[in-house]
Amino acid sequence: LMWPKNGIIGFESVNASGPIAQPDYVNTTANLNQINWTQALTGVANMNTAPLKLCGYSDWRLPNKVELKSLINYGAVNPANWLMYGTGTSGAPACDGACFSNVQAISYWSSSTYASNTTTAWYVNFFGGSVGAGGKTYDYYVWPVRGGQ
């Protein structure tokens, strides 16, 4: 699997405005990555058709819940911090974690619809590593992936 280094791609230009045709791959404003499930699918599709491709690829997708959960280190107090700093800190990352940037300690969408209630989809929370189902109209973060599945 290949994950973007930045955990908060800018899928919106203004908060709550919906996906933009050319996502901002160097975004550092967290709420520009917080969209509902249908918008997440559209935002990732826009990545694949936009003139500027993320890392030069056009086969990005929402990860399924197993793939997304694979990023969680259950031995870490805060999996989001571990993904960014390993056993170090924001001042001195140890990079024995994954050394991503801007990972939010909150929920990220998966592509997996919850089978017994198709108005919900699975998410993974990057604070404690919990997995749950949320209404597809809720706004969660989006972290696309390529490969696998």
Side-chain angles (χ1 to χ4, degrees), residues 39-50:
Q39 291 172 333
L41 294 174
T42 300
V44 173
N46 288 353
M47 287 176 62
N48 293 325
T49 59

Side-chain angles (χ1 to χ4, degrees), residues 20-87:
I20 53 178
Q22 176 62 70
D24 180 359
Y25 305 131
V26 294
N27 174 55
T28 58
T29 305
N31 67 2
L32 298 181
N33 181 280
Q34 203 170 19
I35 53 182
N36 70 44
W37 191 77
T38 302
Q39 291 172 333
L41 294 174
T42 300
V44 173
N46 288 353
M47 287 176 62
N48 293 325
T49 59
L52 182 59
K53 309 288 187 219
L54 180 61
C55 300
Y57 296 103
S58 60
D59 58 349
W60 296 96
R61 59 183 174 77
L62 273 184
N64 65 46
K65 71 177 179 177
V66 173
E67 292 167 334
L68 197 55
K69 188 178 172 188
S70 74
L71 291 172
I72 300 294
N73 175 355
Y74 286 100
V77 173
N78 180 331
N81 280 348
W82 181 82
L83 284 167
M84 294 186 292
Y85 313 123
T87 56

Side-chain angles (χ1 to χ4, degrees), residues 8 15 31 37 41 53 65-66 70 75 78 105 110 113-114 116-117 120 134-137 145 149:
I8 57 165
N15 187 33
N31 67 2
W37 191 77
L41 294 174
K53 309 288 187 219
K65 71 177 179 177
V66 173
S70 74
N78 180 331
S110 83
T113 293
Y114 187 63
S116 63
N117 182 354
T120 63
K136 291 180 178 179
T137 59
V145 69
Q149 202 177 35

